[in-house]
Amino acid sequence: MRGDIRMPSCQTCVHKWSFRDTFKLSLTSNGKKCPNCGEKQYISKKSRYKISTMSVVPVMLGFFVEILFDEDFLVVLISLLPMAIAFIFAILYSIELSNTNEPMW
């Protein structure tokens, strides 16, 4: 059911963000205003750490498959495309918001 999908919520007004707004936020480091209350929201430090950690998996898997099966890199890239799309969706659904732009380190 669509209502069960977990999208991030504004830390000020608890408004649940749409997929589109979350996607736009993921493309910027400057934060984005909440569509409901107008307070600027940022991707939390914890979420940025998860995203950076998770992003290594598809790259390493691609290299592993290329070496193990001795396939051309383009073939590996095309075969891993569905996983990359799933990865993008997983990132968007795992984002948590913060009222402050916390430094990564």
Side-chain angles (χ1 to χ4, degrees):
M1 221 179 355
R2 187 173 183 169
D4 295 333
I5 296 174
R6 184 183 158 302
M7 291 304 290
S9 298
C10 174
Q11 295 298 298
T12 304
C13 70
V14 196
H15 172 75
K16 190 179 256 188
W17 282 38
S18 68
F19 180 86
R20 184 180 190 173
D21 288 330
T22 306
F23 182 74
K24 287 179 182 178
L25 174 66
S26 72
L27 299 176
T28 182
S29 61
N30 298 335
K32 185 174 179 340
K33 289 184 179 182
C34 172
N36 188 50
C37 70
E39 279 292 317
K40 202 161 202 181
Q41 298 290 296
Y42 304 90
I43 297 175
S44 72
K45 179 180 179 178
K46 179 182 171 185
S47 290
R48 287 195 315 250
Y49 182 76
K50 266 194 297 189
I51 291 167
S52 64
T53 304
M54 288 172 42
S55 65
V56 174
V57 174
V59 174
M60 295 305 292
L61 186 61
F63 287 125
F64 179 71
V65 169
E66 181 183 12
I67 292 168
L68 184 66
F69 297 110
D70 197 29
E71 288 290 334
D72 183 41
F73 186 72
L74 185 59
V75 172
V76 172
L77 191 64
I78 292 171
S79 64
L80 293 177
L81 188 61
M83 187 181 85
I85 292 170
F87 173 74
I88 291 169
F89 278 89
I91 285 175
L92 292 176
Y93 287 110
S94 69
I95 287 177
E96 295 172 1
L97 301 178
S98 173
N99 287 332
T100 60
N101 193 5
E102 307 158 320
M104 183 68 169
W105 307 110

XYZ file of all heavy atoms in Angstrom:
845
model
N 0.824 -1.174 0.000
C 0.000 0.000 0.000
C 0.873 1.245 0.000
O 1.901 1.281 0.644
C -0.896 -0.029 1.232
C -2.245 0.432 0.860
S -3.577 0.519 2.032
C -3.164 -0.097 3.533
N 0.490 2.253 -0.687
C 1.300 3.451 -0.829
C 1.499 4.182 0.493
O 2.537 4.766 0.741
C 0.675 4.371 -1.857
C 1.580 5.524 -2.144
C 1.097 6.356 -3.262
N 2.114 7.374 -3.471
C 2.162 8.156 -4.478
N 1.280 8.061 -5.419
N 3.100 9.045 -4.594
N 0.533 4.150 1.368
C 0.634 4.851 2.639
C 1.660 4.249 3.584
O 2.091 4.886 4.526
N 2.062 3.020 3.347
C 3.026 2.350 4.219
C 4.464 2.688 3.874
O 5.364 2.345 4.623
C 2.848 0.831 4.131
C 1.503 0.388 4.666
O 0.948 1.082 5.528
O 1.022 -0.650 4.215
N 4.697 3.327 2.737
C 6.053 3.653 2.321
C 6.594 4.753 3.220
O 5.950 5.765 3.448
C 6.078 4.092 0.836
C 5.653 2.927 -0.034
C 7.457 4.571 0.447
C 5.510 3.275 -1.486
N 7.792 4.534 3.740
C 8.393 5.466 4.688
C 9.200 6.524 3.944
O 10.228 6.233 3.371
C 9.301 4.680 5.631
C 9.923 5.506 6.716
C 10.850 4.598 7.499
N 11.895 5.205 8.244
C 12.860 5.988 7.826
N 12.910 6.354 6.590
N 13.791 6.440 8.622
N 8.713 7.727 3.963
C 9.440 8.864 3.421
C 9.835 9.748 4.607
O 9.235 9.673 5.667
C 8.565 9.652 2.441
C 8.252 8.924 1.146
S 9.682 8.368 0.212
C 10.354 9.898 -0.376
N 10.853 10.596 4.424
C 11.280 11.431 5.550
C 10.221 12.455 5.942
O 9.387 12.853 5.129
C 12.538 12.119 5.022
C 12.469 12.026 3.554
C 11.656 10.812 3.237
N 10.281 12.859 7.202
C 9.357 13.859 7.729
C 10.127 15.071 8.212
O 11.228 14.945 8.751
C 8.559 13.283 8.899
O 7.778 12.199 8.482
N 9.540 16.232 8.027
C 10.119 17.485 8.501
C 10.317 17.404 10.009
O 9.434 16.943 10.732
C 9.199 18.645 8.139
S 9.713 20.239 8.801
N 11.458 17.858 10.485
C 11.748 17.825 11.913
C 11.011 18.916 12.678
O 10.916 18.856 13.896
C 13.263 17.950 12.134
C 14.044 16.784 11.589
C 13.666 15.484 12.271
O 13.834 15.336 13.467
N 13.135 14.554 11.501
N 10.461 19.885 11.974
C 9.732 20.973 12.632
C 8.235 20.687 12.702
O 7.639 20.729 13.770
C 9.974 22.310 11.891
O 11.380 22.547 11.823
C 9.290 23.461 12.594
N 7.623 20.382 11.562
C 6.159 20.224 11.527
C 5.716 18.771 11.311
O 4.526 18.501 11.241
C 5.558 21.112 10.437
S 5.945 20.575 8.748
N 6.646 17.850 11.155
C 6.407 16.417 10.970
C 5.637 16.113 9.673
O 5.012 15.079 9.531
C 5.700 15.790 12.204
C 5.796 14.284 12.177
C 6.280 16.301 13.505
N 5.698 17.027 8.720
C 5.070 16.809 7.413
C 5.862 15.753 6.654
O 7.087 15.833 6.553
C 5.047 18.117 6.616
C 4.609 17.978 5.204
N 3.290 17.777 4.863
C 5.309 18.011 4.040
C 3.202 17.684 3.540
N 4.420 17.825 3.026
N 5.173 14.745 6.134
C 5.839 13.691 5.372
C 6.143 14.208 3.968
O 5.262 14.671 3.256
C 4.946 12.458 5.289
C 5.655 11.243 4.715
C 4.735 10.050 4.681
C 5.122 9.132 5.797
N 4.410 7.871 5.735
N 7.413 14.143 3.591
C 7.843 14.640 2.296
C 7.451 13.676 1.186
O 7.393 12.470 1.386
C 9.352 14.843 2.296
C 9.779 16.098 2.994
C 9.237 16.634 4.124
C 10.827 16.963 2.610
N 9.890 17.785 4.464
C 10.875 18.011 3.550
C 11.738 16.966 1.576
C 11.797 19.036 3.472
C 12.661 17.988 1.501
C 12.673 19.025 2.441
N 7.263 14.216 -0.006
C 6.954 13.390 -1.174
C 8.248 12.812 -1.746
O 9.351 13.275 -1.438
C 6.258 14.228 -2.247
O 7.162 15.177 -2.788
N 8.098 11.827 -2.600
C 9.251 11.231 -3.274
C 9.994 12.300 -4.070
O 11.215 12.378 -4.035
C 8.784 10.103 -4.193
C 9.901 9.422 -4.925
C 10.594 8.381 -4.348
C 10.264 9.840 -6.201
C 11.635 7.758 -5.016
C 11.308 9.230 -6.880
C 11.995 8.182 -6.278
N 9.239 13.140 -4.764
C 9.821 14.190 -5.609
C 10.641 15.185 -4.788
O 11.758 15.548 -5.166
C 8.704 14.892 -6.361
C 9.182 15.916 -7.323
C 8.020 16.551 -8.026
N 8.511 17.364 -9.109
C 7.761 17.946 -9.990
N 6.455 17.801 -9.946
N 8.271 18.672 -10.948
N 10.092 15.642 -3.650
C 10.814 16.591 -2.800
C 12.073 15.958 -2.209
O 13.114 16.605 -2.106
C 9.914 17.105 -1.671
C 8.847 18.054 -2.173
O 9.093 18.746 -3.182
O 7.758 18.097 -1.569
N 11.978 14.690 -1.826
C 13.138 13.984 -1.278
C 14.212 13.822 -2.340
O 15.404 13.992 -2.066
C 12.721 12.607 -0.723
O 11.651 12.777 0.209
C 13.875 11.919 -0.032
N 13.795 13.530 -3.571
C 14.748 13.392 -4.668
C 15.472 14.710 -4.915
O 16.691 14.755 -5.066
C 14.038 12.915 -5.937
C 14.966 12.707 -7.100
C 15.806 11.615 -7.148
C 14.996 13.615 -8.149
C 16.672 11.419 -8.212
C 15.857 13.433 -9.216
C 16.694 12.333 -9.251
N 14.733 15.822 -4.927
C 15.342 17.141 -5.119
C 16.331 17.458 -3.996
O 17.399 18.010 -4.239
C 14.266 18.228 -5.180
C 13.479 18.229 -6.461
C 12.426 19.321 -6.413
C 11.569 19.345 -7.654
N 10.520 20.383 -7.571
N 15.970 17.107 -2.767
C 16.863 17.337 -1.629
C 18.148 16.532 -1.782
O 19.229 17.014 -1.463
C 16.173 16.962 -0.321
C 17.039 17.026 0.938
C 17.447 18.467 1.233
C 16.305 16.424 2.121
N 18.038 15.319 -2.300
C 19.217 14.456 -2.430
C 20.221 15.000 -3.452
O 21.384 14.621 -3.434
C 18.812 13.032 -2.804
O 18.364 12.975 -4.146
N 19.779 15.878 -4.327
C 20.658 16.436 -5.350
C 21.376 17.709 -4.913
O 22.186 18.243 -5.651
C 19.852 16.723 -6.627
C 19.198 15.514 -7.287
C 18.361 15.951 -8.479
C 20.238 14.487 -7.695
N 21.086 18.189 -3.705
C 21.690 19.428 -3.237
C 22.328 19.234 -1.863
O 21.915 18.370 -1.104
C 20.661 20.569 -3.166
O 21.315 21.753 -2.747
C 19.525 20.269 -2.227
N 23.305 20.029 -1.562
C 23.903 19.993 -0.223
C 23.473 21.219 0.589
O 23.831 21.354 1.747
C 25.425 19.944 -0.324
O 25.895 21.102 -0.977
N 22.709 22.111 -0.045
C 22.277 23.342 0.613
C 20.981 23.198 1.393
O 20.497 24.157 1.962
C 22.083 24.454 -0.424
C 23.372 24.785 -1.135
O 24.457 24.564 -0.609
N 23.265 25.294 -2.335
N 20.392 22.016 1.377
C 19.118 21.827 2.046
C 17.974 22.286 1.162
O 18.168 22.804 0.065
N 16.762 22.074 1.662
C 15.558 22.452 0.917
C 14.489 22.836 1.925
O 14.406 22.245 2.992
C 15.101 21.260 0.072
C 13.939 21.552 -0.840
C 13.673 20.353 -1.734
C 12.519 20.517 -2.672
N 11.524 21.489 -2.409
N 13.684 23.821 1.580
C 12.606 24.241 2.464
C 11.497 23.201 2.487
O 11.155 22.613 1.463
C 12.033 25.588 2.016
C 12.970 26.740 2.256
C 12.340 28.049 1.899
C 13.311 29.192 2.188
N 12.707 30.482 1.887
N 10.933 23.001 3.673
C 9.800 22.085 3.826
C 8.628 22.639 3.023
O 8.317 23.825 3.120
C 9.426 21.964 5.300
S 7.898 21.038 5.594
N 7.964 21.794 2.217
C 6.831 22.277 1.432
C 5.638 22.694 2.294
O 4.760 23.413 1.829
C 6.459 21.089 0.546
C 7.239 19.932 1.014
C 8.275 20.404 1.958
N 5.629 22.290 3.559
C 4.503 22.612 4.428
C 4.761 23.860 5.276
O 3.986 24.801 5.246
C 4.188 21.413 5.331
C 2.930 21.597 6.126
O 1.895 21.948 5.594
N 3.024 21.378 7.424
N 5.878 23.881 6.023
C 6.126 24.990 6.965
C 7.193 25.972 6.494
O 7.324 27.048 7.061
C 6.500 24.434 8.344
S 8.124 23.649 8.422
N 7.971 25.615 5.483
C 8.978 26.521 4.954
C 10.311 26.494 5.685
O 11.229 27.215 5.308
N 10.437 25.688 6.734
C 11.717 25.574 7.448
C 12.708 24.794 6.593
O 12.350 23.782 5.985
C 11.537 24.832 8.778
C 11.024 25.664 9.897
C 12.019 26.715 10.369
O 13.219 26.412 10.499
O 11.571 27.842 10.605
N 13.944 25.233 6.564
C 14.963 24.556 5.770
C 15.333 23.236 6.435
O 15.579 23.185 7.638
C 16.193 25.438 5.607
C 17.034 25.056 4.428
C 17.954 26.176 4.030
C 18.363 25.994 2.597
N 19.254 27.022 2.148
N 15.364 22.177 5.633
C 15.700 20.843 6.108
C 16.923 20.334 5.354
O 17.121 20.662 4.191
C 14.530 19.876 5.899
C 13.281 20.250 6.663
C 13.456 20.046 8.160
O 13.643 18.938 8.634
N 13.414 21.150 8.901
N 17.718 19.538 6.042
C 18.938 18.976 5.471
C 18.917 17.471 5.660
O 18.216 16.955 6.532
C 20.175 19.546 6.186
C 20.250 21.043 6.166
C 19.682 21.813 7.172
C 20.903 21.703 5.127
C 19.760 23.195 7.143
C 20.985 23.085 5.091
C 20.407 23.821 6.105
O 20.487 25.185 6.069
N 19.716 16.774 4.867
C 19.893 15.347 5.089
C 20.733 15.198 6.343
O 21.773 15.843 6.485
C 20.580 14.679 3.880
C 19.698 14.812 2.636
C 20.868 13.212 4.169
C 20.346 14.291 1.359
N 20.289 14.364 7.276
C 20.993 14.216 8.553
C 22.377 13.610 8.364
O 22.659 12.947 7.363
C 20.177 13.343 9.516
O 20.206 11.994 9.093
N 23.236 13.833 9.330
C 24.591 13.302 9.305
C 24.555 11.775 9.227
O 25.305 11.163 8.469
C 25.325 13.760 10.558
C 26.737 13.261 10.677
C 27.379 13.783 11.954
C 28.788 13.289 12.108
N 29.413 13.838 13.318
N 23.675 11.159 9.981
C 23.539 9.693 9.996
C 23.156 9.181 8.608
O 23.701 8.196 8.124
C 22.488 9.298 11.030
C 22.224 7.825 11.133
C 21.137 7.559 12.162
C 20.685 6.126 12.133
N 19.566 5.884 13.044
N 22.228 9.855 7.945
C 21.792 9.436 6.605
C 22.910 9.614 5.580
O 23.095 8.758 4.714
C 20.573 10.235 6.161
O 19.447 9.874 6.913
N 23.638 10.721 5.666
C 24.750 10.926 4.728
C 25.817 9.850 4.899
O 26.396 9.384 3.923
C 25.348 12.323 4.904
C 24.462 13.410 4.358
C 25.202 14.715 4.204
N 26.032 15.046 5.342
C 25.795 16.030 6.199
N 24.728 16.784 6.033
N 26.606 16.265 7.201
N 26.063 9.457 6.142
C 27.037 8.398 6.402
C 26.546 7.068 5.807
O 27.310 6.350 5.165
C 27.279 8.265 7.907
C 28.303 7.222 8.239
C 29.659 7.470 8.045
C 27.925 5.978 8.734
C 30.613 6.511 8.332
C 28.870 5.014 9.028
C 30.207 5.284 8.827
O 31.139 4.328 9.108
N 25.247 6.762 6.014
C 24.675 5.532 5.443
C 24.776 5.537 3.923
O 25.135 4.540 3.309
C 23.192 5.396 5.828
C 22.932 4.587 7.044
C 21.474 4.203 7.184
C 20.566 5.396 7.340
N 19.177 5.048 7.679
N 24.456 6.660 3.315
C 24.492 6.772 1.854
C 25.909 6.570 1.338
O 26.128 5.829 0.380
C 23.929 8.140 1.397
C 22.424 8.208 1.656
C 24.238 8.394 -0.074
C 21.849 9.603 1.543
N 26.882 7.205 1.970
C 28.258 7.066 1.499
C 28.766 5.643 1.690
O 29.500 5.121 0.848
C 29.173 8.071 2.187
O 29.234 7.833 3.567
N 28.358 4.992 2.759
C 28.755 3.609 2.994
C 28.086 2.673 1.995
O 28.734 1.791 1.419
C 28.392 3.185 4.430
O 28.995 4.093 5.346
C 28.871 1.775 4.720
N 26.797 2.890 1.763
C 26.054 2.025 0.838
C 26.522 2.199 -0.607
O 26.427 1.274 -1.407
C 24.550 2.325 0.920
C 23.900 1.843 2.173
S 22.172 2.395 2.393
C 21.445 2.213 0.806
N 27.025 3.367 -0.950
C 27.410 3.633 -2.343
C 28.626 2.828 -2.778
O 28.870 2.674 -3.975
C 27.642 5.116 -2.566
O 28.738 5.554 -1.810
N 29.383 2.318 -1.848
C 30.557 1.516 -2.176
C 30.141 0.137 -2.699
O 30.822 -0.437 -3.549
C 31.465 1.377 -0.931
C 32.618 0.434 -1.181
C 31.965 2.736 -0.508
N 29.018 -0.381 -2.241
C 28.587 -1.744 -2.584
C 28.410 -1.954 -4.091
O 28.987 -2.894 -4.644
C 27.304 -2.128 -1.808
C 26.768 -3.461 -2.252
C 27.589 -2.125 -0.314
N 27.644 -1.123 -4.807
C 27.490 -1.371 -6.240
C 28.806 -1.287 -7.015
O 29.045 -2.070 -7.933
C 26.526 -0.280 -6.716
C 25.871 0.233 -5.510
C 26.806 -0.005 -4.378
N 29.667 -0.369 -6.612
C 30.955 -0.217 -7.299
C 31.803 -1.465 -7.089
O 32.360 -2.028 -8.045
C 31.693 1.041 -6.800
C 33.081 1.127 -7.386
C 30.889 2.292 -7.119
N 31.898 -1.914 -5.845
C 32.693 -3.105 -5.549
C 32.101 -4.339 -6.218
O 32.840 -5.181 -6.735
C 32.792 -3.315 -4.037
C 33.541 -2.209 -3.324
S 35.194 -1.908 -3.978
C 36.020 -3.388 -3.501
N 30.789 -4.455 -6.231
C 30.137 -5.591 -6.883
C 30.431 -5.591 -8.378
O 30.690 -6.639 -8.971
C 28.633 -5.561 -6.628
C 27.846 -6.761 -7.139
C 28.330 -8.041 -6.479
C 26.372 -6.566 -6.883
N 30.410 -4.421 -8.991
C 30.725 -4.317 -10.419
C 32.130 -4.789 -10.726
O 32.350 -5.557 -11.664
N 33.092 -4.344 -9.923
C 34.472 -4.789 -10.135
C 34.629 -6.281 -9.879
O 35.323 -6.985 -10.607
C 35.443 -3.996 -9.251
C 35.652 -2.590 -9.715
C 35.433 -1.527 -8.856
C 36.062 -2.311 -11.012
C 35.626 -0.218 -9.278
C 36.259 -1.013 -11.451
C 36.038 0.034 -10.575
N 33.961 -6.778 -8.855
C 34.031 -8.200 -8.527
C 33.473 -9.058 -9.662
O 34.084 -10.044 -10.072
C 33.270 -8.470 -7.225
C 33.254 -9.906 -6.821
C 34.402 -10.520 -6.348
C 32.086 -10.647 -6.922
C 34.390 -11.847 -5.969
C 32.063 -11.972 -6.548
C 33.216 -12.585 -6.071
N 32.314 -8.670 -10.199
C 31.698 -9.415 -11.301
C 32.579 -9.359 -12.546
O 32.763 -10.361 -13.245
C 30.273 -8.881 -11.604
C 29.722 -9.434 -12.894
C 29.346 -9.193 -10.448
N 33.152 -8.187 -12.813
C 34.017 -8.050 -13.985
C 35.239 -8.961 -13.882
O 35.605 -9.652 -14.835
C 34.467 -6.599 -14.151
C 35.342 -6.399 -15.365
C 35.842 -4.978 -15.499
O 35.712 -4.186 -14.550
O 36.377 -4.664 -16.571
N 35.845 -9.001 -12.732
C 37.042 -9.830 -12.539
C 36.685 -11.315 -12.506
O 37.328 -12.142 -13.154
C 37.773 -9.415 -11.248
C 38.367 -8.032 -11.422
C 38.856 -10.428 -10.883
C 38.866 -7.407 -10.145
N 35.639 -11.658 -11.760
C 35.260 -13.064 -11.585
C 34.818 -13.716 -12.895
O 35.206 -14.833 -13.213
C 34.158 -13.189 -10.533
C 33.723 -14.593 -10.161
C 34.866 -15.315 -9.467
C 32.520 -14.544 -9.243
N 33.993 -13.012 -13.661
C 33.440 -13.588 -14.889
C 34.179 -13.132 -16.142
O 33.811 -13.512 -17.247
C 31.947 -13.263 -15.008
C 31.143 -13.855 -13.898
C 30.583 -13.057 -12.917
C 30.942 -15.229 -13.828
C 29.837 -13.603 -11.892
C 30.201 -15.785 -12.808
C 29.649 -14.974 -11.838
N 35.183 -12.296 -15.977
C 35.995 -11.811 -17.090
C 35.134 -11.227 -18.210
O 35.306 -11.528 -19.387
C 36.903 -12.928 -17.623
C 38.031 -12.376 -18.480
O 38.440 -11.223 -18.232
O 38.480 -13.086 -19.394
N 34.167 -10.420 -17.805
C 33.265 -9.773 -18.759
C 33.766 -8.377 -19.083
O 34.497 -7.762 -18.317
C 31.855 -9.674 -18.184
C 31.112 -10.977 -18.099
C 30.727 -11.518 -19.457
O 30.570 -10.733 -20.412
O 30.590 -12.748 -19.566
N 33.330 -7.866 -20.204
C 33.608 -6.495 -20.596
C 32.917 -5.564 -19.604
O 31.812 -5.836 -19.129
C 33.084 -6.259 -22.015
C 33.414 -4.874 -22.517
O 34.542 -4.417 -22.260
O 32.545 -4.260 -23.169
N 33.543 -4.448 -19.291
C 32.987 -3.530 -18.300
C 31.614 -3.011 -18.713
O 30.739 -2.830 -17.871
C 33.946 -2.366 -18.043
C 33.487 -1.468 -16.935
C 33.541 -1.893 -15.625
C 32.978 -0.203 -17.207
C 33.106 -1.082 -14.592
C 32.538 0.612 -16.193
C 32.616 0.168 -14.878
N 31.401 -2.776 -19.998
C 30.107 -2.281 -20.466
C 29.002 -3.307 -20.201
O 27.899 -2.941 -19.785
C 30.168 -1.937 -21.958
C 28.915 -1.296 -22.549
C 28.591 0.005 -21.819
C 29.092 -1.036 -24.019
N 29.287 -4.580 -20.392
C 28.309 -5.645 -20.115
C 27.974 -5.667 -18.625
O 26.813 -5.779 -18.233
C 28.849 -7.022 -20.572
C 27.941 -8.144 -20.116
C 29.036 -7.044 -22.077
N 28.999 -5.541 -17.797
C 28.786 -5.514 -16.344
C 27.960 -4.288 -15.958
O 27.018 -4.382 -15.172
C 30.137 -5.513 -15.592
C 29.933 -5.299 -14.100
C 30.886 -6.801 -15.855
N 28.280 -3.153 -16.535
C 27.558 -1.917 -16.233
C 26.078 -2.036 -16.587
O 25.209 -1.668 -15.795
C 28.201 -0.750 -16.986
C 27.769 0.645 -16.608
C 28.167 0.938 -15.166
C 28.398 1.652 -17.530
N 25.785 -2.574 -17.750
C 24.396 -2.742 -18.178
C 23.668 -3.752 -17.305
O 22.506 -3.563 -16.942
C 24.328 -3.127 -19.672
C 24.781 -1.941 -20.521
C 22.927 -3.573 -20.067
C 24.976 -2.251 -21.985
N 24.347 -4.832 -16.926
C 23.698 -5.849 -16.104
C 23.450 -5.368 -14.677
O 22.550 -5.848 -14.001
C 24.512 -7.139 -16.085
O 25.759 -6.923 -15.487
N 24.248 -4.409 -14.212
C 24.068 -3.876 -12.865
C 23.137 -2.659 -12.821
O 22.859 -2.127 -11.756
C 25.414 -3.521 -12.251
C 26.335 -4.698 -11.947
C 27.664 -4.194 -11.406
C 25.697 -5.662 -10.977
N 22.644 -2.235 -13.960
C 21.753 -1.072 -14.020
C 20.496 -1.229 -13.148
O 20.159 -0.307 -12.404
C 21.382 -0.757 -15.467
C 20.628 0.533 -15.692
C 21.462 1.729 -15.236
C 20.283 0.685 -17.157
N 19.814 -2.393 -13.196
C 18.644 -2.532 -12.305
C 19.003 -2.403 -10.825
O 18.252 -1.822 -10.044
C 18.120 -3.937 -12.613
C 18.642 -4.253 -13.963
C 19.951 -3.535 -14.078
N 20.171 -2.917 -10.448
C 20.595 -2.798 -9.064
C 20.883 -1.331 -8.718
O 20.575 -0.870 -7.622
C 21.837 -3.631 -8.790
C 22.198 -3.644 -7.315
S 23.656 -4.576 -6.947
C 24.910 -3.348 -7.258
N 21.446 -0.596 -9.647
C 21.730 0.819 -9.408
C 20.436 1.614 -9.213
O 20.357 2.482 -8.336
C 22.541 1.391 -10.565
N 19.428 1.299 -9.993
C 18.127 1.976 -9.844
C 17.505 1.627 -8.497
O 16.998 2.503 -7.789
C 17.194 1.610 -11.017
C 17.746 2.214 -12.310
C 15.770 2.077 -10.748
C 17.066 1.735 -13.566
N 17.569 0.356 -8.118
C 17.056 -0.061 -6.807
C 17.828 0.625 -5.684
O 17.247 1.013 -4.664
C 17.140 -1.578 -6.668
N 19.124 0.794 -5.881
C 19.960 1.459 -4.895
C 19.520 2.914 -4.690
O 19.435 3.401 -3.567
C 21.425 1.390 -5.341
C 22.362 2.175 -4.491
C 22.723 1.733 -3.237
C 22.890 3.372 -4.951
C 23.595 2.462 -2.451
C 23.762 4.103 -4.172
C 24.109 3.649 -2.916
N 19.223 3.610 -5.776
C 18.767 5.004 -5.689
C 17.463 5.088 -4.901
O 17.295 5.946 -4.036
C 18.615 5.617 -7.096
C 20.002 5.790 -7.730
C 17.874 6.949 -7.044
C 19.982 6.130 -9.196
N 16.532 4.169 -5.180
C 15.271 4.151 -4.434
C 15.516 3.859 -2.955
O 14.910 4.475 -2.082
C 14.296 3.139 -5.026
C 13.537 3.666 -6.205
C 14.040 3.527 -7.483
C 12.335 4.325 -6.025
C 13.349 4.021 -8.574
C 11.640 4.824 -7.108
C 12.143 4.679 -8.386
N 16.415 2.912 -2.656
C 16.720 2.581 -1.264
C 17.292 3.792 -0.527
O 16.959 4.032 0.635
C 17.697 1.408 -1.205
N 18.133 4.537 -1.197
C 18.705 5.742 -0.586
C 17.598 6.740 -0.257
O 17.537 7.274 0.847
C 19.746 6.393 -1.515
C 21.035 5.580 -1.503
C 20.028 7.833 -1.112
C 22.066 6.076 -2.485
N 16.717 6.985 -1.217
C 15.666 7.982 -1.002
C 14.736 7.597 0.135
O 14.252 8.457 0.874
C 14.883 8.217 -2.290
C 15.671 8.899 -3.405
C 14.830 9.003 -4.664
C 16.154 10.271 -2.973
N 14.475 6.306 0.293
C 13.575 5.870 1.356
C 14.273 5.733 2.699
O 13.619 5.524 3.714
C 12.876 4.565 0.969
C 11.833 4.781 -0.089
C 12.009 4.308 -1.373
C 10.677 5.494 0.181
C 11.054 4.525 -2.361
C 9.716 5.730 -0.786
C 9.920 5.232 -2.056
O 8.979 5.454 -3.031
N 15.607 5.855 2.736
C 16.318 5.749 4.009
C 16.777 7.107 4.530
O 17.377 7.187 5.592
C 17.520 4.816 3.861
O 18.506 5.400 3.042
N 16.489 8.168 3.806
C 16.912 9.511 4.218
C 16.127 9.970 5.442
O 14.914 9.787 5.519
C 16.734 10.518 3.060
C 17.803 10.283 1.998
C 16.771 11.957 3.558
C 17.675 11.181 0.787
N 16.860 10.548 6.375
C 16.250 11.212 7.524
C 16.623 12.684 7.452
O 17.706 13.032 6.972
C 16.766 10.598 8.824
C 16.360 9.151 9.000
C 17.033 8.497 10.191
O 17.806 9.174 10.908
O 16.798 7.302 10.398
N 15.739 13.556 7.921
C 15.963 14.988 7.840
C 16.478 15.554 9.141
O 16.299 14.964 10.208
C 14.670 15.694 7.437
C 14.056 15.277 6.101
C 12.758 16.019 5.874
C 15.017 15.517 4.971
N 17.104 16.715 9.044
C 17.632 17.433 10.199
C 17.369 18.920 10.007
O 17.325 19.412 8.885
C 19.139 17.164 10.304
O 19.710 17.969 11.307
N 17.198 19.629 11.116
C 17.003 21.084 11.063
C 18.307 21.836 10.823
O 18.294 22.993 10.441
C 16.385 21.599 12.373
C 14.938 21.224 12.487
O 14.247 21.058 11.508
N 14.478 21.077 13.723
N 19.440 21.178 11.091
C 20.742 21.824 10.929
C 21.588 21.057 9.934
O 21.448 19.858 9.759
C 21.485 21.876 12.286
O 21.666 20.552 12.765
C 20.744 22.702 13.299
N 22.480 21.784 9.303
C 23.407 21.181 8.352
C 24.627 20.698 9.128
O 25.591 21.432 9.307
C 23.798 22.195 7.267
C 24.498 21.538 6.107
O 24.619 20.326 6.042
N 24.949 22.360 5.186
N 24.552 19.478 9.610
C 25.624 18.909 10.451
C 26.827 18.549 9.580
O 26.661 17.983 8.505
C 25.116 17.656 11.154
C 23.829 17.868 11.907
C 23.067 16.577 12.142
O 23.006 15.729 11.250
O 22.518 16.448 13.259
N 28.040 18.846 10.051
C 29.220 18.455 9.294
C 29.345 16.938 9.255
O 28.984 16.254 10.204
C 30.384 19.092 10.043
C 29.867 19.372 11.409
C 28.387 19.538 11.282
N 29.870 16.413 8.148
C 29.993 14.968 7.997
C 31.000 14.402 8.982
O 30.792 13.362 9.557
C 30.397 14.649 6.551
C 30.495 13.182 6.256
S 28.890 12.401 6.294
C 29.310 10.825 5.595
N 32.117 15.056 9.151
C 33.160 14.517 10.051
C 33.341 15.394 11.226
O 33.382 16.369 11.519
C 34.483 14.340 9.305
C 34.318 13.548 8.060
C 34.404 14.014 6.789
C 34.008 12.164 7.930
N 34.175 13.004 5.891
C 33.924 11.847 6.571
C 33.773 11.130 8.847
C 33.646 10.580 6.101
C 33.489 9.876 8.354
C 33.430 9.610 7.001
